[in-house]
Amino acid sequence: MSAGGPTPPTKPQVRALNCPHCGAALTLRSFNNAVTIVCESCHSILDAKDPNLQVLQQFKASADEKPLIPLGSRGKIRGTEYEAIGFQRRTIHVDGEPYSWHEYVLFNPYKGFRYLTEYNGHWNDVSTLKALPEQVPNSSPPKVRYLGETYRHFQTAKAGTSFVLGEFPWQVRVGEADVVTDYVSPPRVLSSEKTGSEVNWSMGEYMSGKDIWRAFRLPGDPPEPIGVYENQPSPLTSDTMSIWVAFAAFALALVVMMIGFDLTADKREIFNGYYKFDSNKRGDASFVTDEFTLSGHTSNVEVNTSTDLNNRWVYLNYALINVDTGQAFDFGREVSYYHGYDSDGSWSEGSANDSVAVPKVPAGRYYLRVEPEGDPGYGVTYYTVNVKRDVPQYSLYALALGALLLPAILLTWRTLSFEHMRWSESDHPPIKWGNDE
Amino acid sequence: MIRILYIIYGTAVLLGLGVAQYQGWSLATVNEVKNVPRSVRDNPGSYRSVYSAYHHYTGGK
């Protein structure tokens, strides 16, 4: 897209002309700012600066393209009313595949030209730059800076004009090709178009189809966007950032809670007993402990078992029984400890000690029923049973941390997937995972 | 919107954690039994633990 400044007419009016090739009526909407005008009937490109409208080129359109914004439509873009006066289709080829987008030339007699581009339902509001962007030295992929913002190279391709309609403020020709280079910083894109030694820069800003439809009061709904466009802003980027900030605050609160509960928890030893279990002895090995009192609010009871096991196991059936209510908390604990040495070196498995927290035990008088089991022939095992009240459970903090992390990770993954989709269409695709090549 | 939902969710998680810690929740598997007879105190062998029939690991490499 190349354009000069507009020449505002003293009295805006539409000029009525006829095509010198087919005689069809032509409408000139941009007054003497148009350089070329295309006849809709015979697809002749005419010299709008020539009083006789000299035919510059004729092209054959395989199928007539209908602009989504009909030429002559007027709409407000950023507070200024523009009229759609020109339309072209441009095509690039990547790996032999053609990719086409559409460009609309908009005109306001006082503000000049502006452009809209559309690709697969993605729209950009484009205007030419008044200053040149600066190349960022030694950047890979290449970057440019413009008005303090850095833009990353997205794609360079040779774009050919494959269809034109209406008026253009430059010498448009079907078949002509420019080298188009895009640099992105969503929601903006900087584009350079190089024709010979001439380079034109423009800036596009992503717009939704709904905004375009509203601006031009177009009937129906705009086409749904397909895929992720090069400068399409990620709908999740700001949410992801704010969720990580919120996560940091929650993690801090979690640490404060952990310290608070740790300082205020009772953690008092209620009972301690030392026992002997002989697995060679026949008969019932079960016994009960002395009574002990659990005080305070409903809380957990930690039962710790310490043994002298050595390449053996013991299974302890525990029941924490309330003397007064008959309520029992029944649980079994296997304690096993094995170790040795083989061709891989020394190894060990399990532990001679065990700890379990019995949840939500009300206050009251309790005793433990203990029934040890073991393989006959193991002999004597000495073990200690230690009971503590109201012991903080760090596994719950780990669970809570996981629950807080999960949404943040999922959202980050979705954001990264969005960026992955964006850049997979670029000259700098992300590394492909798997063997899909 | 997502941020607000996350703040509500995170607050609920922390409140749940506070309640769990205060009431002494744990991840241990414990079977609660009602009305255990007082006679167990004098005759421990009369109590039948639900875990006693479990297969026990005999371990070792």
Side-chain angles (χ1 to χ4, degrees):
Chain A
M1 284 167 284
S2 60
T7 311
T10 48
K11 189 180 174 189
Q13 58 182 15
V14 172
R15 258 174 77 194
L17 303 164
N18 289 91
C19 173
H21 187 255
C22 69
L26 300 171
T27 307
L28 199 58
R29 296 183 173 93
S30 63
F31 323 111
N32 54 349
N33 292 293
V35 175
T36 46
I37 180 168
V38 183
C39 173
E40 207 171 324
S41 301
C42 65
H43 302 299
S44 297
I45 299 173
L46 311 171
D47 185 352
K49 294 290 182 193
D50 180 8
N52 299 318
L53 296 175
Q54 185 197 346
V55 177
L56 299 171
Q57 187 190 31
Q58 270 192 294
F59 66 95
K60 280 190 178 173
S62 53
D64 275 357
E65 291 247 10
K66 263 203 147 182
L68 290 169
I69 304 172
L71 299 190
S73 305
R74 290 183 179 190
K76 264 194 177 174
I77 303 283
R78 303 192 196 285
T80 302
E81 191 171 74
Y82 287 91
E83 184 173 2
I85 62 164
F87 169 76
Q88 66 172 338
R89 183 183 66 214
R90 304 186 75 191
T91 305
I92 61 168
H93 288 84
V94 178
D95 298 331
E97 282 288 313
Y99 295 89
S100 295
W101 71 93
H102 300 111
E103 294 180 359
Y104 294 82
V105 182
L106 307 182
F107 179 72
N108 173 285
Y110 300 99
K111 297 277 184 174
F113 293 97
R114 198 173 193 97
Y115 308 89
L116 289 175
T117 66
E118 183 270 331
Y119 174 73
N120 274 351
H122 300 278
W123 292 81
N124 265 289
D125 166 32
V126 179
S127 51
T128 51
L129 294 190
K130 303 279 184 273
L132 283 177
E134 288 171 36
Q135 292 283 344
V136 176
N138 306 321
S139 53
S140 180
K143 289 175 185 148
V144 293
R145 281 186 74 76
Y146 184 72
L147 297 179
E149 198 168 350
T150 304
Y151 294 75
R152 190 176 160 195
H153 179 258
F154 191 86
Q155 195 173 54
T156 298
K158 201 170 183 182
T161 305
S162 45
F163 182 85
V164 287
L165 200 65
E167 295 162 48
F168 296 86
W170 70 90
Q171 288 274 355
V172 74
R173 297 284 191 286
V174 167
E176 69 183 358
D178 303 335
V179 176
V180 181
T181 304
D182 285 351
Y183 298 85
V184 298
S185 173
R188 284 177 279 279
V189 54
L190 288 183
S191 299
S192 82
E193 295 195 21
K194 191 174 179 194
T195 317
S197 58
E198 189 185 324
V199 180
N200 288 297
W201 284 88
S202 58
M203 177 190 275
E205 187 159 349
Y206 191 86
M207 284 185 82
S208 72
K210 281 181 183 163
D211 286 341
I212 300 287
W213 252 238
R214 207 175 298 123
F216 284 88
R217 294 180 295 276
L218 296 172
D221 294 316
E224 279 297 316
I226 299 168
V228 175
Y229 194 56
E230 59 180 7
N231 65 324
Q232 183 180 354
S234 167
L236 299 168
T237 302
S238 61
D239 285 331
T240 307
M241 289 295 290
S242 61
I243 276 198
W244 279 110
V245 170
F247 169 77
F250 282 133
L252 188 70
L254 195 127
V255 170
V256 170
M257 279 178 77
M258 194 160 71
I259 294 167
F261 274 108
D262 204 61
L263 289 175
T264 55
D266 197 1
K267 293 186 277 185
R268 193 156 32 102
E269 185 180 285
I270 304 294
F271 173 81
N272 195 58
Y274 183 68
Y275 304 100
K276 174 186 165 186
F277 168 57
D278 187 351
S279 65
N280 293 335
K281 254 190 176 174
R282 289 188 171 188
D284 183 21
S286 62
F287 65 94
V288 292
T289 66
D290 292 338
E291 283 179 23
F292 48 86
T293 303
L294 301 176
S295 55
H297 59 84
T298 296
S299 183
N300 61 27
V301 169
E302 192 175 83
V303 178
N304 300 297
T305 312
S306 303
T307 70
D308 65 348
L309 290 173
N310 189 3
N311 282 322
R312 284 188 285 146
W313 64 270
V314 68
Y315 191 87
L316 295 149
N317 296 292
Y318 281 111
L320 178 67
I321 302 168
N322 188 306
V323 176
D324 301 311
T325 64
Q327 184 188 20
F329 298 90
D330 199 77
F331 54 100
R333 304 302 294 174
E334 182 183 290
V335 189
S336 63
Y337 178 58
Y338 294 88
H339 61 94
Y341 194 88
D342 62 14
S343 56
D344 297 331
S346 63
W347 60 270
S348 69
E349 195 177 288
S351 169
N353 304 315
D354 176 71
S355 180
V356 62
V358 182
K360 298 201 286 180
V361 182
R365 289 188 304 139
Y366 288 83
Y367 64 90
L368 272 173
R369 176 195 177 268
V370 187
E371 185 183 350
E373 293 176 37
D375 270 343
Y378 272 176
V380 176
T381 302
Y382 291 97
Y383 62 102
T384 306
V385 178
N386 174 274
V387 177
K388 283 181 178 174
R389 177 68 158 162
D390 190 20
V391 181
Q393 295 302 298
Y394 297 104
S395 53
L396 296 179
Y397 294 109
L399 271 183
L401 191 70
L404 292 171
L405 258 178
L406 192 67
I409 288 172
L410 284 176
L411 202 66
T412 305
W413 178 76
R414 283 191 62 191
T415 305
L416 291 176
S417 299
F418 188 93
E419 291 303 319
H420 185 91
M421 283 172 75
R422 180 201 308 283
W423 287 98
S424 55
E425 298 296 320
S426 76
D427 289 348
H428 315 281
I431 296 163
K432 282 182 182 171
W433 292 346
N435 300 320
D436 53 350
E437 288 199 9
Chain B
M1 184 62 185
I2 290 175
R3 183 171 176 263
I4 291 165
L5 285 175
Y6 181 71
I7 287 170
I8 293 168
Y9 167 78
T11 307
V13 167
L14 290 191
L15 282 174
L17 174 68
V19 170
Q21 284 293 3
Y22 183 79
Q23 292 195 341
W25 295 13
S26 91
L27 304 178
T29 309
V30 172
N31 188 49
E32 213 174 316
V33 183
K34 302 274 184 194
N35 303 318
V36 173
R38 285 175 185 270
S39 58
V40 171
R41 189 89 183 84
D42 302 316
N43 184 13
S46 64
Y47 183 85
R48 284 283 158 262
S49 166
V50 293
Y51 294 95
S52 60
Y54 277 30
H55 169 74
H56 300 152
Y57 173 65
T58 51
K61 197 166 179 179

